[in-house]
Amino acid sequence: MSAFLDSMKAKAAADRKTIVLPEGNDPRTIEAARAIMAEGIADLVILGDPATIDVEGARVVDPTTSPDHERYAEAFAELRKKKGVTIEDARKQMDDVTYFGTMMVKMGDADGLVSGACHSTADTLRPALQILKTAPGTKLVSSFMMMCTQANEFGQEGTLMFSDISLNIDPDADALSEIAIDSAKSWKTFMGTDAKVALLSYSSMGSGKGDSPAKVAEAASLCQQKAPELAIAGELQADCALVESVASLKAPDCDVAGSANVLVFPDLDAGNIGYKLVQRLGHAEAYGPVLQGIARPVNDLSRGCSADDIVGVVAITAVQAQQA
Protein backbone atom coordinates (compact mmCIF):
# COMPACT_ATOMS: atom_id res chain seq x y z
CA MET A 1 0.00 0.00 0.00
CA SER A 2 1.28 3.49 -0.88
CA ALA A 3 2.13 6.20 1.61
CA PHE A 4 -0.44 8.36 -0.21
CA LEU A 5 -3.28 5.93 0.44
CA ASP A 6 -2.16 5.46 4.05
CA SER A 7 -2.36 9.23 4.45
CA MET A 8 -5.82 9.47 2.87
CA LYS A 9 -7.17 6.69 5.08
CA ALA A 10 -5.75 8.26 8.22
CA LYS A 11 -7.18 11.68 7.37
CA ALA A 12 -10.58 10.18 6.52
CA ALA A 13 -10.73 8.15 9.73
CA ALA A 14 -9.84 11.18 11.86
CA ASP A 15 -13.08 12.95 10.85
CA ARG A 16 -15.48 10.36 9.47
CA LYS A 17 -17.81 11.48 6.73
CA THR A 18 -20.84 9.73 5.25
CA ILE A 19 -20.30 8.45 1.72
CA VAL A 20 -22.99 6.98 -0.56
CA LEU A 21 -22.22 3.90 -2.66
CA PRO A 22 -25.08 3.56 -5.20
CA GLU A 23 -23.83 0.28 -6.70
CA GLY A 24 -24.85 -2.16 -3.97
CA ASN A 25 -25.51 -4.81 -6.63
CA ASP A 26 -21.79 -4.99 -7.52
CA PRO A 27 -19.69 -7.54 -5.55
CA ARG A 28 -16.65 -5.23 -5.63
CA THR A 29 -18.68 -2.52 -3.89
CA ILE A 30 -19.67 -4.91 -1.11
CA GLU A 31 -16.11 -6.18 -0.66
CA ALA A 32 -14.86 -2.59 -0.51
CA ALA A 33 -17.63 -1.55 1.89
CA ARG A 34 -16.66 -4.27 4.36
CA ALA A 35 -13.05 -3.10 4.29
CA ILE A 36 -14.08 0.56 4.71
CA MET A 37 -16.24 -0.21 7.72
CA ALA A 38 -13.60 -2.50 9.26
CA GLU A 39 -10.92 0.20 8.93
CA GLY A 40 -13.21 3.02 10.07
CA ILE A 41 -12.52 5.12 6.98
CA ALA A 42 -16.06 6.46 6.53
CA ASP A 43 -19.69 5.89 7.41
CA LEU A 44 -21.47 4.30 4.47
CA VAL A 45 -24.89 4.32 2.86
CA ILE A 46 -25.21 1.49 0.34
CA LEU A 47 -28.07 1.64 -2.14
CA GLY A 48 -29.68 -1.67 -2.96
CA ASP A 49 -31.77 -4.45 -1.50
CA PRO A 50 -31.41 -4.66 2.31
CA ALA A 51 -32.41 -8.33 2.14
CA THR A 52 -29.34 -9.25 0.09
CA ILE A 53 -26.70 -6.76 1.28
CA ASP A 54 -24.93 -7.54 4.54
CA VAL A 55 -22.21 -5.09 5.56
CA GLU A 56 -21.86 -4.69 9.29
CA GLY A 57 -22.21 -1.07 10.38
CA ALA A 58 -23.35 0.25 6.99
CA ARG A 59 -26.82 1.61 6.29
CA VAL A 60 -28.54 -0.09 3.36
CA VAL A 61 -31.30 1.82 1.54
CA ASP A 62 -33.61 0.74 -1.27
CA PRO A 63 -34.44 4.00 -3.09
CA THR A 64 -37.78 2.69 -4.33
CA THR A 65 -39.09 2.04 -0.80
CA SER A 66 -37.20 4.72 1.10
CA PRO A 67 -39.28 7.17 3.18
CA ASP A 68 -37.10 9.92 1.66
CA HIS A 69 -38.15 9.05 -1.91
CA GLU A 70 -40.99 11.59 -2.07
CA ARG A 71 -39.01 14.32 -0.29
CA TYR A 72 -36.14 13.93 -2.72
CA ALA A 73 -38.53 13.82 -5.70
CA GLU A 74 -40.16 17.08 -4.63
CA ALA A 75 -36.78 18.77 -4.18
CA PHE A 76 -35.52 17.46 -7.55
CA ALA A 77 -38.67 18.66 -9.33
CA GLU A 78 -38.15 22.12 -7.84
CA LEU A 79 -34.49 22.16 -8.91
CA ARG A 80 -35.34 21.13 -12.47
CA LYS A 81 -38.71 22.81 -13.03
CA LYS A 82 -37.23 25.29 -15.51
CA LYS A 83 -36.21 22.25 -17.57
CA GLY A 84 -39.80 21.02 -17.58
CA VAL A 85 -39.37 18.27 -14.99
CA THR A 86 -42.71 17.39 -13.34
CA ILE A 87 -43.20 15.70 -9.99
CA GLU A 88 -44.11 12.51 -11.85
CA ASP A 89 -40.82 12.72 -13.80
CA ALA A 90 -38.93 13.35 -10.57
CA ARG A 91 -40.46 10.34 -8.83
CA LYS A 92 -39.31 8.09 -11.67
CA GLN A 93 -35.87 9.68 -11.58
CA MET A 94 -35.52 8.94 -7.85
CA ASP A 95 -35.82 5.22 -8.63
CA ASP A 96 -32.38 5.59 -10.25
CA VAL A 97 -29.71 4.82 -7.64
CA THR A 98 -27.25 7.48 -8.81
CA TYR A 99 -29.87 10.24 -8.85
CA PHE A 100 -31.18 9.15 -5.46
CA GLY A 101 -27.64 9.04 -4.04
CA THR A 102 -26.79 12.46 -5.44
CA MET A 103 -29.95 13.88 -3.87
CA MET A 104 -28.79 12.45 -0.54
CA VAL A 105 -25.68 14.60 -0.88
CA LYS A 106 -27.69 17.64 -2.00
CA MET A 107 -30.07 17.35 0.95
CA GLY A 108 -27.25 17.02 3.48
CA ASP A 109 -28.00 13.37 4.29
CA ALA A 110 -24.55 12.35 3.02
CA ASP A 111 -21.24 14.12 2.45
CA GLY A 112 -20.15 12.58 -0.85
CA LEU A 113 -20.80 9.88 -3.45
CA VAL A 114 -18.64 7.30 -5.23
CA SER A 115 -19.98 5.47 -8.28
CA GLY A 116 -18.85 4.13 -11.65
CA ALA A 117 -17.92 0.48 -11.05
CA CYS A 118 -20.86 -0.48 -13.27
CA HIS A 119 -22.01 2.94 -14.51
CA SER A 120 -20.44 5.15 -17.17
CA THR A 121 -18.79 8.46 -16.34
CA ALA A 122 -21.76 10.21 -17.95
CA ASP A 123 -24.18 8.34 -15.68
CA THR A 124 -22.21 9.49 -12.63
CA LEU A 125 -21.54 13.04 -13.78
CA ARG A 126 -24.96 13.94 -15.20
CA PRO A 127 -26.83 13.83 -11.86
CA ALA A 128 -23.98 15.67 -10.15
CA LEU A 129 -24.11 18.56 -12.64
CA GLN A 130 -27.91 18.70 -12.64
CA ILE A 131 -28.29 18.54 -8.86
CA LEU A 132 -25.08 19.75 -7.19
CA LYS A 133 -23.75 21.95 -10.03
CA THR A 134 -20.24 23.40 -10.25
CA ALA A 135 -18.45 24.94 -7.30
CA PRO A 136 -18.51 28.75 -7.00
CA GLY A 137 -15.92 30.37 -9.24
CA THR A 138 -15.37 27.18 -11.23
CA LYS A 139 -15.72 27.22 -15.02
CA LEU A 140 -15.65 23.50 -15.69
CA VAL A 141 -15.46 20.08 -14.10
CA SER A 142 -12.31 18.10 -14.73
CA SER A 143 -10.74 14.93 -13.41
CA PHE A 144 -7.43 13.63 -12.22
CA MET A 145 -5.78 10.37 -11.24
CA MET A 146 -3.39 10.07 -8.32
CA MET A 147 -0.59 7.84 -9.56
CA CYS A 148 1.51 6.12 -6.90
CA THR A 149 4.55 4.77 -8.73
CA GLN A 150 7.58 2.80 -7.62
CA ALA A 151 9.86 5.53 -9.00
CA ASN A 152 10.46 7.50 -5.81
CA GLU A 153 12.68 10.03 -7.57
CA PHE A 154 9.65 11.52 -9.34
CA GLY A 155 6.90 13.70 -7.92
CA GLN A 156 6.49 13.40 -4.16
CA GLU A 157 8.18 10.11 -3.31
CA GLY A 158 6.76 8.56 -6.47
CA THR A 159 3.26 10.07 -6.25
CA LEU A 160 2.08 12.28 -9.11
CA MET A 161 -1.22 13.72 -10.30
CA PHE A 162 -2.32 13.18 -13.93
CA SER A 163 -5.03 15.49 -15.29
CA ASP A 164 -7.47 15.55 -17.17
CA ILE A 165 -7.94 11.84 -17.74
CA SER A 166 -11.68 11.23 -18.19
CA LEU A 167 -13.81 14.28 -19.03
CA ASN A 168 -12.60 17.08 -21.32
CA ILE A 169 -11.94 15.62 -24.75
CA ASP A 170 -10.07 18.46 -26.45
CA PRO A 171 -9.86 21.45 -24.11
CA ASP A 172 -8.93 24.81 -25.62
CA ALA A 173 -6.22 26.97 -24.05
CA ASP A 174 -8.59 28.60 -21.56
CA ALA A 175 -10.06 25.27 -20.44
CA LEU A 176 -6.58 23.78 -20.17
CA SER A 177 -5.51 26.66 -17.95
CA GLU A 178 -8.53 26.08 -15.68
CA ILE A 179 -7.68 22.38 -15.43
CA ALA A 180 -4.09 23.24 -14.49
CA ILE A 181 -5.11 25.75 -11.81
CA ASP A 182 -7.72 23.44 -10.27
CA SER A 183 -5.22 20.57 -10.31
CA ALA A 184 -2.65 22.67 -8.48
CA LYS A 185 -5.19 23.44 -5.77
CA SER A 186 -6.24 19.78 -5.52
CA TRP A 187 -2.62 18.70 -5.13
CA LYS A 188 -2.23 21.09 -2.21
CA THR A 189 -5.42 19.75 -0.62
CA PHE A 190 -4.34 16.12 -0.76
CA MET A 191 -0.57 16.24 -0.51
CA GLY A 192 -0.09 19.30 1.70
CA THR A 193 2.75 20.61 -0.45
CA ASP A 194 2.94 23.15 -3.26
CA ALA A 195 2.17 21.90 -6.74
CA LYS A 196 4.61 22.09 -9.62
CA VAL A 197 2.39 21.79 -12.68
CA ALA A 198 3.75 20.86 -16.10
CA LEU A 199 1.55 21.42 -19.14
CA LEU A 200 2.68 18.56 -21.37
CA SER A 201 3.30 18.53 -25.10
CA TYR A 202 5.54 16.96 -27.72
CA SER A 203 7.44 20.25 -27.57
CA SER A 204 9.51 21.91 -24.85
CA MET A 205 9.47 25.70 -24.80
CA GLY A 206 9.06 26.15 -28.53
CA SER A 207 11.22 23.24 -29.71
CA GLY A 208 8.37 21.85 -31.80
CA LYS A 209 5.76 23.56 -33.94
CA GLY A 210 2.07 22.91 -34.43
CA ASP A 211 -1.37 23.80 -33.15
CA SER A 212 -1.15 21.60 -30.05
CA PRO A 213 2.08 23.06 -28.59
CA ALA A 214 0.81 26.54 -29.39
CA LYS A 215 -2.38 25.80 -27.43
CA VAL A 216 -0.40 24.47 -24.48
CA ALA A 217 1.92 27.47 -24.47
CA GLU A 218 -1.08 29.80 -24.52
CA ALA A 219 -2.61 27.89 -21.60
CA ALA A 220 0.59 28.35 -19.62
CA SER A 221 0.49 32.09 -20.31
CA LEU A 222 -3.14 32.26 -19.17
CA CYS A 223 -2.22 30.45 -15.95
CA GLN A 224 0.36 33.13 -15.20
CA GLN A 225 -2.27 35.81 -15.72
CA LYS A 226 -4.97 34.08 -13.66
CA ALA A 227 -2.87 32.56 -10.87
CA PRO A 228 0.66 33.99 -10.83
CA GLU A 229 1.23 32.61 -7.34
CA LEU A 230 1.12 29.02 -8.66
CA ALA A 231 4.06 27.18 -10.23
CA ILE A 232 2.65 26.24 -13.64
CA ALA A 233 4.76 26.02 -16.78
CA GLY A 234 4.63 24.73 -20.36
CA GLU A 235 4.85 23.59 -22.91
CA LEU A 236 7.09 20.74 -21.66
CA GLN A 237 7.81 17.24 -22.91
CA ALA A 238 7.23 14.56 -20.28
CA ASP A 239 10.92 13.79 -19.74
CA CYS A 240 11.68 17.50 -19.50
CA ALA A 241 8.96 17.88 -16.88
CA LEU A 242 10.26 15.01 -14.75
CA VAL A 243 14.00 14.50 -15.26
CA GLU A 244 16.37 17.17 -13.99
CA SER A 245 19.20 16.32 -16.38
CA VAL A 246 16.85 16.62 -19.37
CA ALA A 247 15.33 19.81 -18.01
CA SER A 248 18.76 21.42 -17.69
CA LEU A 249 19.22 20.97 -21.44
CA LYS A 250 15.72 21.68 -22.74
CA ALA A 251 14.34 24.25 -20.27
CA PRO A 252 17.17 25.51 -18.03
CA ASP A 253 15.27 28.63 -16.93
CA CYS A 254 12.03 26.85 -15.95
CA ASP A 255 11.50 26.20 -12.22
CA VAL A 256 8.92 23.48 -12.87
CA ALA A 257 10.98 21.50 -15.39
CA GLY A 258 12.69 18.50 -13.88
CA SER A 259 10.61 18.56 -10.69
CA ALA A 260 6.94 18.49 -11.75
CA ASN A 261 4.49 16.65 -9.51
CA VAL A 262 1.32 17.46 -11.51
CA LEU A 263 1.16 16.52 -15.21
CA VAL A 264 -1.58 18.17 -17.27
CA PHE A 265 -2.13 16.49 -20.63
CA PRO A 266 -3.09 18.42 -23.78
CA ASP A 267 -6.19 16.32 -24.49
CA LEU A 268 -8.13 13.32 -23.25
CA ASP A 269 -6.43 10.88 -25.62
CA ALA A 270 -3.03 11.63 -24.14
CA GLY A 271 -4.22 11.72 -20.53
CA ASN A 272 -6.23 8.50 -20.59
CA ILE A 273 -3.59 6.57 -22.53
CA GLY A 274 -0.81 7.97 -20.35
CA TYR A 275 -2.24 6.98 -16.99
CA LYS A 276 -3.22 3.49 -18.16
CA LEU A 277 0.25 2.82 -19.55
CA VAL A 278 1.87 3.91 -16.29
CA GLN A 279 -0.63 1.86 -14.29
CA ARG A 280 -0.27 -1.35 -16.30
CA LEU A 281 3.34 -1.30 -17.54
CA GLY A 282 4.78 0.58 -14.58
CA HIS A 283 2.72 -1.31 -11.99
CA ALA A 284 1.54 1.96 -10.46
CA GLU A 285 -1.40 2.26 -8.09
CA ALA A 286 -3.97 4.54 -9.73
CA TYR A 287 -6.61 6.24 -7.57
CA GLY A 288 -9.50 7.95 -9.31
CA PRO A 289 -10.78 9.40 -11.47
CA VAL A 290 -11.25 12.13 -8.88
CA LEU A 291 -13.55 14.94 -10.00
CA GLN A 292 -12.76 18.57 -9.27
CA GLY A 293 -15.05 21.54 -9.77
CA ILE A 294 -18.31 20.05 -8.43
CA ALA A 295 -19.94 21.83 -5.50
CA ARG A 296 -19.93 18.66 -3.34
CA PRO A 297 -17.66 15.60 -3.60
CA VAL A 298 -18.73 13.11 -6.26
CA ASN A 299 -16.20 10.71 -7.73
CA ASP A 300 -16.22 8.36 -10.66
CA LEU A 301 -14.65 4.88 -10.69
CA SER A 302 -13.18 3.09 -13.64
CA ARG A 303 -15.38 0.16 -14.65
CA GLY A 304 -12.21 -1.94 -14.46
CA CYS A 305 -11.70 -1.01 -10.81
CA SER A 306 -10.95 -3.44 -8.00
CA ALA A 307 -12.41 -3.41 -4.50
CA ASP A 308 -9.14 -1.88 -3.28
CA ASP A 309 -9.54 0.92 -5.83
CA ILE A 310 -13.00 1.67 -4.43
CA VAL A 311 -11.61 1.83 -0.89
CA GLY A 312 -9.01 4.34 -2.04
CA VAL A 313 -11.49 6.57 -3.87
CA VAL A 314 -13.85 6.54 -0.88
CA ALA A 315 -10.98 7.69 1.36
CA ILE A 316 -10.14 10.47 -1.12
CA THR A 317 -13.80 11.50 -1.33
CA ALA A 318 -14.02 11.67 2.45
CA VAL A 319 -10.98 13.98 2.57
CA GLN A 320 -12.59 16.18 -0.09
CA ALA A 321 -15.73 16.30 2.07
CA GLN A 322 -13.66 17.44 5.04
CA GLN A 323 -12.30 20.32 2.97
CA ALA A 324 -15.80 21.25 1.75
Side-chain angles (χ1 to χ4, degrees), residues 147 162 165 271-282 302:
M147 305 297 297
F162 286 15
I165 49 77
N272 195 271
I273 292 166
Y275 101 74
K276 289 183 176 178
L277 285 174
V278 173
Q279 179 185 22
R280 300 300 180 181
L281 298 182
S302 167

Side-chain angles (χ1 to χ4, degrees), residues 250-271:
K250 293 186 174 182
D253 299 323
C254 177
D255 292 339
V256 169
S259 59
N261 47 33
V262 178
L263 304 181
V264 175
F265 292 82
D267 58 36
L268 196 58
D269 278 335

Side-chain angles (χ1 to χ4, degrees), residues 34 87 91 108 120 141 147 177 184 190 194 197 204 214 231 260 282-283 304:
R34 290 183 177 132
I87 186 62
R91 286 174 182 139
S120 69
V141 176
M147 305 297 297
S177 71
F190 290 118
D194 292 334
V197 183
S204 291
H283 306 290

